């Protein structure tokens, strides 16, 4: 990366399985549902995709390299804390967030009642104005692991600007 880079773009993707006896955490929000996402951390698939998009844009290692799921330190970790750590790294590299565009892929529960709250929650974790974060939701038309409600996935694009 050269000092001439004024904007940098990154993409993040994640998927986690739905399982019983788990809280459903999406974008730092707890969403009422009969199942939650399974993972070593709180399995917040939205914050994981956001984190990876930001790391990619900054040219940093990915979330799995930084916070390995084999490390007990990250067992049941709050993904908001991991993302907050990444925001420090990004600031140290001289970047701030231009915007985040997030797609939640979920058949159930329906995401529409939560999109705005989720955007506000993500904005709070990364420390930007709410209008810099957009959350969209898609079902998977009943096909594949997401469509059969066995998993929830997230895709995120992040734009960073040099301060
Ligand atoms: Mg993950």
């Amino acid at each position: 990366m050269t000092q001439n880079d004024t904007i940098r773009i990154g993409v993040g993707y994640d998927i986690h399985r739905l399982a019983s006896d788990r809280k459903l955490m999406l974008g730092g929000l707890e969403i009422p549902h009969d199942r939650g996402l399974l993972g070593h951390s709180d399995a917040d698939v939205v914050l994981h995709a956001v984190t990876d998009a930001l790391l990619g844009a900054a040219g940093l290692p990915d979330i799995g390299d930084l916070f390995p799921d084999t490390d007990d330190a990250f067992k049941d970790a709050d993904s908001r804390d991991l993302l907050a750590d990444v925001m420090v790294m990004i600031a140290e590299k001289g970047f701030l967030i231009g915007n985040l565009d997030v797609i939640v892929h979920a058949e159930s529960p329906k995401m529409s009642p939560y999109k705005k709250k989720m955007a506000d929650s993500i904005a709070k974790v990364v420390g930007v104005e709410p209008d810099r974060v957009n959350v969209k939701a898609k079902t998977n038309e009943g096909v594949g692991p997401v469509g059969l409600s066995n998993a929830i996935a997230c895709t995120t694009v992040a734009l960073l600007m040099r301060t």
Side-chain angles (χ1 to χ4, degrees), residues 14-16 41 43-45 48 63:
D14 198 19
I15 185 166
H16 281 263
S41 66
D44 190 325
V45 70
H48 293 179
I63 191 170

Side-chain angles (χ1 to χ4, degrees), residues 7 12 15 34 50 52 57 92 123 142 158 161 163:
I7 59 168
I15 185 166
D34 59 345
V50 167
D52 248 355
E92 281 169 355
M161 304 182 299
T163 51

Side-chain angles (χ1 to χ4, degrees), residues 50-111:
V50 167
T51 302
D52 248 355
L54 289 165
L55 287 167
L60 289 164
D62 69 29
I63 191 170
D65 288 336
L66 291 176
F67 310 110
D69 64 6
T70 49
D71 188 335
D72 278 348
F74 307 118
K75 174 124 182 63
D76 301 321
D78 185 329
S79 298
R80 287 173 294 193
D81 295 337
L82 309 183
L83 179 50
D85 287 352
V86 164
M87 287 314 299
V88 172
M89 295 176 208
I90 284 167
E92 281 169 355
K93 288 204 87 171
F95 287 112
L96 51 80
I97 291 174
N99 71 300
L100 296 171
D101 194 19
V102 178
I103 306 173
V104 184
H105 311 266
E107 200 77 21
S108 62
K110 290 296 170 221
M111 289 294 123

